[in-house]
Amino acid sequence: LIMAAFVTITFTVGKPLLEFVSDTEKFRLWVETQGFLGRLILIGIMCLQVVVAIIPGEVIEIGAGYVFGSIEGMLLCLAGAAIGSAIIFLFTKKFGIKMVEAFVPRDKINSLEFVRNSKKLNLLTFILFFIPGSPKDIFTYFIGLTSMKLHTFLIISSIARIPSVVSSTVGGNAIGIKDYKFAIIIFVVTAVISILGICIYKLILKKNNSEKPK
């Protein structure tokens, strides 16, 4: 039922929102007429993206950079991500692994068991959220299964998200000021770093899961 509701939200709300944000010039003109409300709406869109993990966040972050600039766009995205993460965390604490399995396959959950059982839970959480290209949406659902407190999780994840979010908002801002060459450089560098990050993430999983007692 939860998954069906989220899929419905994705196609009835998320898809139109993404299309709206993707039309950056139209989005910018609309935000300018909304004043502070436009910023609250962007936070809400980012929150929805984190909760409904099917929706890609990069498009929203680029749109935020285009409209609000690198720094303000980053801060608004981080605020939305923190609110969305808190919602997921609290739901996961209440409903447990059944809630997580609605979005994350059991084998993915099992591959992260070393995080839950680690004495370095905070450090590992920071590293996994910090690595570019890592599946942060999966971690967000998983962390609620650990002993970590909500405020600790929000501080760690928000700080660790900064590099990946700011790279998108900087690229979006470059498009906004029509510095297309710089925007291409940012996106290419981000793509390369993300590929390396995915490789590092897989190595971490492989190393830690191979050390599990048999």
Side-chain angles (χ1 to χ4, degrees), residues 43-210:
I43 291 174
I45 293 172
M46 193 66 192
C47 172
L48 179 66
Q49 183 278 318
V50 172
V51 175
V52 186
I54 305 171
I55 303 172
E58 291 76 12
V59 175
I60 299 170
E61 294 163 5
I62 292 170
Y66 184 94
V67 174
F68 297 106
S70 305
I71 302 302
E72 186 178 6
M74 176 195 70
L75 293 175
L76 293 172
C77 287
L78 288 176
I83 295 170
S85 297
I87 292 171
I88 292 171
F89 186 95
L90 294 173
F91 266 94
T92 305
K93 284 293 185 187
K94 182 172 180 60
F95 297 107
I97 197 167
K98 297 284 187 186
M99 167 76 179
V100 181
E101 282 189 308
F103 304 94
V104 184
R106 172 69 74 159
D107 62 320
K108 296 284 187 182
I109 299 173
N110 292 337
S111 71
L112 291 169
E113 280 299 313
F114 71 91
V115 178
R116 179 160 57 173
N117 300 324
S118 174
K119 294 179 180 178
K120 299 178 180 178
L121 174 60
N122 291 358
L123 177 60
L124 279 172
T125 300
F126 178 85
I127 291 172
L128 292 174
F129 270 92
F130 182 81
I131 295 173
S134 62
K136 295 174 180 59
D137 294 330
I138 293 177
F139 303 151
T140 303
Y141 277 93
F142 177 82
I143 290 297
L145 301 176
T146 72
S147 59
M148 186 177 290
K149 301 295 184 185
L150 175 59
H151 68 277
T152 303
F153 169 56
L154 292 180
I155 292 171
I156 290 174
S157 60
S158 294
I159 294 173
R161 284 180 187 271
I162 290 175
S164 63
V165 175
V166 79
S167 65
S168 296
T169 58
V170 167
N173 182 61
I175 295 173
I177 61 176
K178 295 182 170 49
D179 190 350
Y180 300 119
K181 182 178 179 181
F182 182 61
I184 291 171
I185 291 171
I186 289 292
F187 293 137
V188 169
V189 170
T190 301
V192 172
I193 293 175
S194 296
I195 292 170
L196 292 174
I198 292 170
C199 294
I200 294 170
Y201 167 69
K202 289 182 178 179
L203 285 173
I204 291 174
L205 289 189
K206 184 176 180 181
K207 178 179 182 297
N208 284 276
N209 288 320
S210 66

